[in-house]
Amino acid sequence: QVQLVESGGGLVQPGGSLRLSCAASGRIFSINIMGWYRQAPGKERELVAAITNRGSTVYADSVYADSVKGRFTISRDNAKNTVILQMNSLKPEDTAVYFCNTSPVRFSWGQGTQVTVSS
């Protein structure tokens, strides 16, 4: 069982940037799609970005977070078993707890990392 640990969240002003990191305890090179999810207060968890094993970026469809297109960038380093989410031009509506996992979800959820966008 792979364990996932997210980090890099914090408080940032609107328009600011954060870089989230997901460290996996096991090897992820064989996993086809890794994704970042978020859960805002009172809302369901949603997929915001996903990446295939060839390094190409796949954004979630309109059921999820269209609003992150052009602002968020996901990347992965299979050798280091990490998945990164670079978030730019942050908005208050990006406030949420962010998690990583496979897509579809295969592993237990980590604790996530809190992102708060506020002036």
Side-chain angles (χ1 to χ4, degrees), residues 5-13 17-22 36-37 83-87 90 94-99 111-117:
V5 179
E6 302 88 355
S7 62
L11 173 63
V12 63
Q13 292 185 343
S17 298
L18 283 173
R19 184 175 183 268
L20 305 185
S21 179
C22 170
W36 277 95
Y37 300 74
V83 185
I84 302 297
L85 185 67
Q86 177 66 43
M87 306 188 297
L90 283 162
D94 294 318
T95 295
V97 180
Y98 284 72
F99 305 84
Q111 291 189 335
T113 185
Q114 175 70 49
V115 171
T116 303
V117 185

Side-chain angles (χ1 to χ4, degrees), residues 27-79:
R27 294 179 293 180
I28 64 171
F29 68 88
S30 62
I31 298 173
N32 187 25
I33 301 176
M34 292 294 299
W36 277 95
Y37 300 74
R38 70 184 180 188
Q39 186 167 21
K43 295 187 178 181
E44 293 187 355
R45 196 168 307 187
E46 61 176 359
L47 179 68
V48 297
I51 187 166
T52 67
N53 218 344
R54 291 187 296 274
S56 61
T57 298
V58 177
Y59 289 108
D61 61 25
S62 59
V63 175
Y64 303 103
D66 273 342
S67 60
V68 308
K69 291 181 181 180
R71 301 188 297 120
F72 289 11
T73 302
I74 187 171
S75 60
R76 67 190 285 174
D77 186 334
N78 288 340

